Amino acid sequence: MSENNITKSSILDVERVDKRFGAHHAVRDVSVRVRAGEFLTLLGPSGCGKTTLLRMIAGFETPSEGEIRIAGRRMNEAPPYERPIGIVFQNLALFPHLSVGENLAYGLRVRRMAREDIRRQVAEALGLVDLAGLEERRVHELSGGQRQRVALARALVIRPKVLLLDEPLGALDLKLRRQLQQELKRIQQRVGTTFVFVTHDQEEALTMSDRIAVMQGGQVEQLGTPEEVYARPRTPFVAQFVGDTNFLTGSVAGTGPNEMQVRLDRLERVIAVPSPAGHQLPEGTRIGLSVRPEHLVMAGAQERLALTVEGRVVERSYIGASTRYALEAAGESYVAVTADSGTGVPALQPGQPVSFGWAPESAVVVPLDAADLSVQEQMEAMPAGTTPEGPADPGMAALRGY
């Protein structure tokens, strides 16, 4: 594909990409089109293939099959320093013997930019990340948050078409991480650069992304907006991995124009739920129901419920703006989250009996497959001693041009 033929809406194309490390199949037939100016997050547990995919986009790994294009140009064989990308590594990979300004200027000098242009672009990049005037500081004199900003500024100063970020906030404390999440999104919107962000943190992905590619087993299980991934999961893995959920299994007992009857396994009840959009599931089809904790309604509420379950409180956790309850009924575990004001429901205590349920529209139908495993089972199934994400982070020599 020539650069003239690429659509204006696409800047990065990953087309049917595979990656094998010996007998291990790390990435399987992944196709993703990333829009220009988009914040796309690759989300999944350790070993799902997200970092391997990022490394192939960066040029540190070569696809076993498939093609990667940036701005319409095939990049499979191009080394990292010849790709129109910036990179922020998990370990930041800053040059400790150079000042902040020299760290930023390094990639521009490699590109043989004029001295005055280098000075101007370095100053602009530091201003963008709120570090103006710190050009002469040494890296060891900076706080953890400031070092993160320097790494981001160094990646942006070369004005890449795509910025790749490999869990750059993972080593920070919770408060600073949340602060930098907001700043990172603000900066991305301001500069308009396409960001491809890798994380295993679901909340981080939901907070920052325009779209999320949820990965497991080397494949993309679902690609969509944060709202789509959270509220309308398409697979059991996505339902259970992205946030908490109450996941019940059952089978289709009957169908109508807009709803279906579902026979739940453990509760031995038949309930009516809305039919999944675009799906006509035949009777007997095995399905799962995903009900988010905030949609589980405790006793005393007046909403129309699909069913009411009698159980007991196992655990209560106060978390500030809300309270999290672990519940048990008919041998099944449930999670409920209630707001601490305006519910009219007094706090429940462990051991106390409780009635709870959910409205029909709160249950999302997820087709099951015989090969599907729960999140925990999939994590535990990874062969011992494998390194599914590929070799360790590249050394400083790989940073030529950054």
Side-chain angles (χ1 to χ4, degrees), residues 205-362:
L206 292 170
T207 299
M208 302 174 68
S209 313
D210 295 320
R211 287 192 301 162
I212 300 171
V214 184
M215 295 190 65
Q216 172 58 18
Q219 297 176 306
V220 174
E221 294 248 340
Q222 185 169 346
L223 175 63
T225 66
E227 292 82 2
E228 290 169 343
V229 168
Y230 182 81
R232 296 185 294 280
R234 294 180 182 174
T235 71
F237 176 81
V238 174
Q240 296 176 87
F241 182 75
V242 181
D244 288 333
T245 195
N246 299 287
F247 197 81
L248 297 85
T249 59
S251 58
V252 177
T255 60
N258 299 311
E259 69 175 26
M260 65 173 57
Q261 302 291 317
V262 175
R263 180 176 289 105
L264 298 175
D265 294 336
R266 288 285 186 91
L267 295 177
E268 298 181 345
R269 303 269 291 278
V270 176
I271 65 171
V273 298
S275 297
H279 291 292
Q280 288 294 331
L281 302 178
E283 189 170 337
T285 301
R286 295 290 296 163
I287 59 97
L289 287 185
S290 173
V291 182
R292 294 298 182 184
E294 62 270 22
H295 293 150
L296 215 64
V297 180
M298 309 295 280
Q302 301 302 314
E303 286 90 342
R304 181 176 62 90
L305 303 181
L307 82 166
T308 301
V309 181
E310 301 296 329
R312 67 183 182 91
V313 178
V314 176
E315 185 178 289
R316 172 181 176 267
S317 303
Y318 175 70
I319 49 179
S322 60
T323 298
R324 184 181 189 275
Y325 291 100
L327 309 172
E328 186 274 334
E332 197 96 60
S333 296
Y334 298 84
V335 177
V337 174
T338 62
D340 284 333
S341 62
T343 64
V345 180
L348 301 170
Q349 302 302 324
Q352 183 175 341
V354 64
S355 297
F356 60 90
W358 57 88
E361 60 272 13
S362 297

Side-chain angles (χ1 to χ4, degrees), residues 167-184 197 199-201 203-204 208:
E167 303 209 44
L169 308 181
L172 302 176
D173 63 71
L174 179 60
K175 185 175 182 179
L176 182 56
R177 186 163 73 244
R178 286 179 174 171
Q179 177 186 338
L180 287 180
Q181 287 171 5
Q182 296 173 355
E183 291 187 15
L184 195 60
F197 187 91
T199 185
H200 63 273
D201 187 316
E203 182 180 345
E204 191 167 79
M208 302 174 68

